[in-house]
Amino acid sequence: NDKEYLASEGETIIQVADRNNIHIPRFCYHKHLSVVASCRMCLVEIDKVKQAQPACSTLVHEDMHVNTKSQKTKDAQKSTMEFLLINHPLDCPICDHAGECRLQEFSAEHGRGYSRFKEEKNVKPKRTRLGPRVTLDDERCILCSRCVRFSQEVAKDDVLGFVDRGTYSTLTCYPGKELSNNYSLNTVDICPVGALTSTDFRFKMRVWFLKRTHSICTESSVGSNTEIWSREGKIYRITPRRNDAVNDTWMTDSGRGLFKEFESEDRLKSYSVDQVAKSLDDAIAATRALLESGSVGVIGSAHSSLEEQYLLHKIVKHTGASYEMIQHIGEGDGLLMSEDRTPNLRGALITGLINELPEAQLGQIKGAIENGQIKTLLVFNEDLEQLCIDLIKLKESVQVIYFGSSKNSTSEQAKVVFPSLSVFEKEGTFVNQNFILQKFKQAILPP
């Protein structure tokens, strides 16, 4: 556009444009997927060849002159939009993707504004189940193949493809297979139109009514960056937020549903002493009396924020308490699910709560509890029964103070119970497995 830019050898026009904030529309191109140049929406005029070329697949070279605003470029974009809309239903008001649809945006920005197609549209399958979490409305598909390439190249689960030819081409799963991997909903995120939708979120809420809050996935120590979509204190969905240093633009399906466990009937909502609901002041007074009696033990949580762990460290130092933290281990997938199933275990190294990564079970503190050396035990978001401690026997000799968001066997036996906030109801910071400090914001108010 008559301005000079520097580019590295091997870069494409669209990469240089993106780096310099030059807008080039695209459907099939995605930074983290292979280039297929199938949608033709990114056509730009190159003076040497005197014709429009796809910016996503054309390499730059010295003294190349590119025009993204010329009449030839605009005509090419209008023609592409006209072809894409030939069989596309013009029903944006009832489409579940309205408000975040590239086709909707580009038809307004780069389309003709009217249709010259008078023939009957080709009807394609609707409400097709691709897997347990993804539904396809194929009449909206523009054959960009983003979902196909993601399944092949990122999720390593090659189950999607196109059948038939030309205007009858249809997205489908291979015979005997379905889109059921733990990253299937990423295909919904990257679908530029309303073809792929989340079965769980489908038709529940218009996106322009929802508030977006930056957060961090607590499913594992990867610390995927997320966005919480909420309205009037209710969370409707969680989607990934781009961070090329951590999770690119992806997240696990299982991490998207974590908010539902905090909406269950097991949610702790009141302070209690001796299993009787009390005020916060009563709970604090009872806790203080127990802590001042000496022989204190603390079992911390790697789900606590860095700020919460800092404050807990002050309590541990002040009371001289014995302290341990549990590492929760699961099977990693080599992508965005690590073996460490906690979001902030490394934060405890920074705050000084621990000097090395702990084991998956209690160590010395378990023997101290069983031998009667600990009289008061603070437990944060852990279930002692799952840590192989006999709660019935424990009740005779140890007073438990429990901090947690949901009921469990420990909360039902505890002397004092403090309901705690979920990650969606507070703000703070986590340290992920690569020791990257990441902040999360409060999305909704607590009960």
Side-chain angles (χ1 to χ4, degrees), residues 114-131:
Y114 61 93
S115 176
R116 296 185 294 175
F117 187 75
K118 304 299 182 184
E119 289 73 25
E120 190 172 337
K121 291 180 182 288
N122 178 33
V123 179
K124 291 187 177 183
K126 191 166 181 64
R127 294 181 292 279
T128 302
R129 181 186 184 275
L130 291 185

Side-chain angles (χ1 to χ4, degrees), residues 377-439:
L377 184 63
L378 272 75
V379 182
F380 291 82
N381 278 307
E382 296 287 354
D383 191 351
L384 296 177
E385 195 170 73
Q386 293 183 1
L387 300 177
C388 302
I389 292 180
D390 189 340
L391 285 170
I392 297 176
K393 185 178 179 181
L394 181 73
K395 192 173 183 180
E396 301 172 0
S397 57
V398 179
Q399 301 288 354
V400 175
I401 304 165
Y402 180 73
F403 289 77
S405 53
S406 299
K407 297 176 184 176
N408 57 26
S409 57
T410 303
S411 68
E412 291 171 356
Q413 298 281 350
K415 172 78 172 179
V416 186
V417 173
F418 288 86
S420 62
L421 302 179
S422 71
V423 68
F424 312 108
E425 299 158 348
K426 62 187 178 184
E427 67 175 41
T429 46
F430 290 141
V431 179
N432 80 346
Q433 62 183 5
N434 294 322
F435 288 90
I436 298 176
L437 186 75
Q438 302 190 106
K439 188 174 184 63

Side-chain angles (χ1 to χ4, degrees), residues 163-216:
V163 295
D164 297 332
R165 302 180 65 182
T167 190
Y168 297 101
S169 291
T170 302
L171 178 68
T172 187
C173 291
Y174 296 151
K177 295 185 177 182
E178 66 175 7
L179 183 63
S180 58
N181 65 71
N182 197 29
Y183 293 88
S184 65
L185 284 170
N186 290 281
T187 61
V188 176
D189 298 328
I190 61 175
C191 180
V193 295
L196 297 179
T197 54
S198 165
T199 304
D200 180 64
F201 178 69
R202 187 176 168 93
F203 299 125
K204 283 189 176 178
M205 182 60 65
R206 287 299 194 182
V207 294
W208 53 80
F209 290 137
L210 297 175
K211 179 185 71 172
R212 299 162 66 174
T213 307
H214 289 182
S215 190
I216 303 295

Side-chain angles (χ1 to χ4, degrees), residues 289-300:
L290 290 172
L291 292 179
E292 289 177 343
S293 64
S295 303
V296 177
V298 177
I299 299 176

Side-chain angles (χ1 to χ4, degrees), residues 98 103 225 241 254 262 312 387:
L103 191 70
N225 289 220
R241 177 165 49 93
S254 47
F262 299 103
L312 180 59
L387 300 177

Side-chain angles (χ1 to χ4, degrees), residues 235-280:
I235 297 174
Y236 285 88
R237 68 172 180 178
I238 298 177
T239 57
R241 177 165 49 93
R242 178 178 173 181
N243 186 334
D244 293 341
V246 179
N247 59 297
D248 293 338
T249 52
W250 325 122
M251 73 175 294
T252 59
D253 289 359
S254 47
R256 298 171 190 254
L258 292 180
F259 68 93
K260 294 181 180 180
E261 67 183 69
F262 299 103
E263 298 175 346
S264 71
E265 294 180 357
D266 290 334
R267 183 70 193 272
L268 289 172
K269 296 182 180 179
S270 62
Y271 307 97
S272 68
V273 179
D274 291 323
Q275 301 299 310
V276 178
K278 296 286 185 178
S279 67
L280 174 60

Side-chain angles (χ1 to χ4, degrees), residues 23 28 32 52 61 154 181 186 234 262 287 301 326 330 363 376 428:
H23 172 65
C28 68
H32 297 294
H61 58 75
V154 180
N181 65 71
N186 290 281
K234 179 177 173 57
F262 299 103
T287 299
S301 173
I326 306 300
T376 301

